[in-house]
Amino acid sequence: CHAGKGFGAKVPDIETIGQKKGAPSQSELIADKTIKKMTKQKGQHPRIDQSVASQGRLDVVQVESWGKSIDSDVELGNLKVKRYASALAPAQDESGRPFYEHCVLHLQMLETQGHLEVSRPKDAPPLPPFEKWSFGLPLYLQYLADQFAVHSALENSISSLLGANSAHKSLRHFNQLGLQRADALAKDISALTNDGTVAPPPTTHAASYAGYLHSLSGRGGEGSSEVEKREAMCSLVAHFFCLHISHLTTIMRVGAKATEALGLFPKQAVNYYQVYPESVEDPLKTFIAGVNEVGNLLESQDIREEVKEQLANAMQKSSLLLATLAVEK
């Protein structure tokens, strides 16, 4: 049995760890307005736990430019991360922080030091404001196809490694949280193509990202050295973290706008944002608790640090999945 969860009350403008409260961006205000409007519809928008939402804010990568169109074969090296968009993270003292908070702080440090930036063409146009994104059905289907390719690759790689090595306790714990999104994405794609529309293949960068995630199962499987297995496991933990923190925060805002623009509720195409197992009462809270437990399951501080070292690569790759929607009307 599954329940709808995800869209909920307006996310407050709350403090970042170690930083003063700041005004939300224009894109955040627009998404908040949409979410607030949606919460007035009875029975459709379970609320994210406000005790979690009020504890802090993390920044998730926002790319400065995607180039001129989604059809251009733009590689990761031609894109530049500009800044983060608002997301959530608890705010406490530095001492005694759980693993989730350590990952959040590490991402913030990477941003301030410029380690999340990649180059882009000098003449590339700026990313259009969120309110000008087109949200046409073909673009949205492309976006879902990209997300499906990457989430499927992540989930298959984790399952493959678990089959080859039962010692991956951290990956096994992630697998048991009930946060997997591939099936929900497949249902949304099916709902939007039941009129005969053909779902597109993933874009170049999504296919490349999925291929990278698939490769991790080979690098960490049977016959691999202990070092290779550890490296593959740490990479998958980092990518799970970045894909899901982005989904449960920034992408929920994107989904709210897409739902309004495309009428996704009558089409029963909001599974990606809402449908989780009954055991998942609050997806964000489940995710935070799960990351903290994974931190406990990692065998040493060195391994936890190795996961954090993979976060920059994971956040850069996962942020690029918004490329297909960042197209002006």
Side-chain angles (χ1 to χ4, degrees):
C1 184
H2 293 71
K5 290 148 189 166
F7 290 141
K10 174 180 179 294
V11 179
D13 182 35
I14 42 189
E15 292 186 353
T16 305
I17 296 176
Q19 297 178 355
K20 293 183 178 180
K21 181 177 178 180
S25 68
Q26 185 68 16
S27 63
E28 292 167 345
L29 290 172
I30 292 170
D32 283 343
K33 182 178 179 180
T34 303
I35 294 171
K36 185 176 181 180
K37 184 186 300 182
M38 287 182 170
T39 61
K40 296 179 181 179
Q41 301 179 27
K42 289 187 178 180
Q44 293 184 336
H45 312 287
R47 305 169 73 89
I48 286 179
D49 190 336
Q50 288 300 300
S51 66
V52 176
S54 64
Q55 288 178 342
R57 191 174 76 192
L58 144 73
D59 287 332
V60 175
V61 168
Q62 181 184 83
V63 173
E64 186 173 40
S65 175
W66 304 102
K68 296 182 179 179
S69 75
I70 63 170
D71 295 323
S72 59
D73 292 333
V74 181
E75 297 183 358
L76 302 184
N78 294 326
L79 296 159
K80 181 179 180 181
V81 172
K82 180 181 179 182
R83 61 174 294 275
Y84 293 139
S86 178
L88 305 178
Q92 298 177 1
D93 293 335
E94 180 65 28
S95 59
R97 290 185 185 278
F99 190 56
Y100 172 81
E101 294 183 46
H102 278 292
C103 291
V104 167
L105 287 169
H106 189 70
L107 284 173
Q108 291 178 329
M109 181 192 71
L110 290 171
E111 182 196 22
T112 60
Q113 295 180 350
H115 293 314
L116 292 175
E117 294 184 357
V118 290
S119 63
R120 69 180 182 91
K122 293 182 179 179
D123 59 348
L127 183 73
F130 181 75
E131 66 270 19
K132 292 186 178 181
W133 289 15
S134 64
F135 282 98
L137 184 57
L139 291 176
Y140 186 68
L141 269 173
Q142 183 66 72
Y143 168 73
L144 292 182
D146 286 356
Q147 292 282 354
F148 175 74
V150 170
H151 278 275
S152 295
L154 175 71
E155 293 166 19
N156 290 337
S157 289
I158 289 176
S159 296
S160 177
L161 281 184
L162 289 178
N165 186 352
S166 61
H168 286 299
K169 296 179 181 179
S170 58
L171 296 180
R172 186 172 302 280
H173 186 72
F174 272 152
N175 224 31
Q176 295 171 345
L177 293 178
L179 297 177
Q180 290 88 341
R181 296 291 81 204
D183 285 349
L185 282 158
K187 290 178 181 177
D188 285 349
I189 293 172
S190 177
L192 294 174
T193 56
N194 60 14
D195 61 352
T197 301
V198 178
T203 56
T204 301
H205 58 260
S208 177
Y209 187 10
Y212 168 76
L213 292 173
H214 276 304
S215 74
L216 293 176
S217 62
R219 287 162 50 190
E222 292 182 1
S224 301
S225 68
E226 290 305 312
V227 171
E228 290 172 327
K229 290 178 181 179
R230 187 185 70 244
E231 289 176 348
M233 181 269 294
C234 289
S235 292
L236 284 171
V237 169
H239 284 276
F240 185 101
F241 179 89
C242 291
L243 279 167
H244 283 275
I245 190 61
S246 297
H247 171 68
L248 291 167
T249 53
T250 303
I251 290 176
M252 284 294 181
R253 296 173 181 272
V254 172
K257 182 68 182 292
T259 297
E260 181 181 59
L262 300 173
L264 298 182
F265 273 111
K267 298 174 182 177
Q268 298 183 335
V270 293
N271 296 281
Y272 180 39
Y273 310 104
Q274 282 209 326
V275 176
Y276 289 87
E278 288 289 351
S279 60
V280 181
E281 294 183 2
D282 183 290
L284 179 59
K285 194 171 184 179
T286 297
F287 172 76
I288 293 173
V291 171
N292 288 337
E293 179 58 23
V294 163
N296 294 332
L297 292 172
L298 296 175
E299 296 176 358
S300 69
Q301 183 60 31
D302 286 343
I303 295 179
R304 287 187 284 275
E305 290 299 319
E306 192 168 341
V307 170
K308 288 161 62 177
E309 289 173 3
Q310 296 293 328
L311 290 176
N313 175 276
M315 187 58 82
Q316 287 173 336
K317 284 181 167 61
S318 62
S319 68
L320 298 182
L321 295 177
L322 286 171
T324 52
L325 293 179
V327 177
E328 194 166 349
K329 295 178 183 178

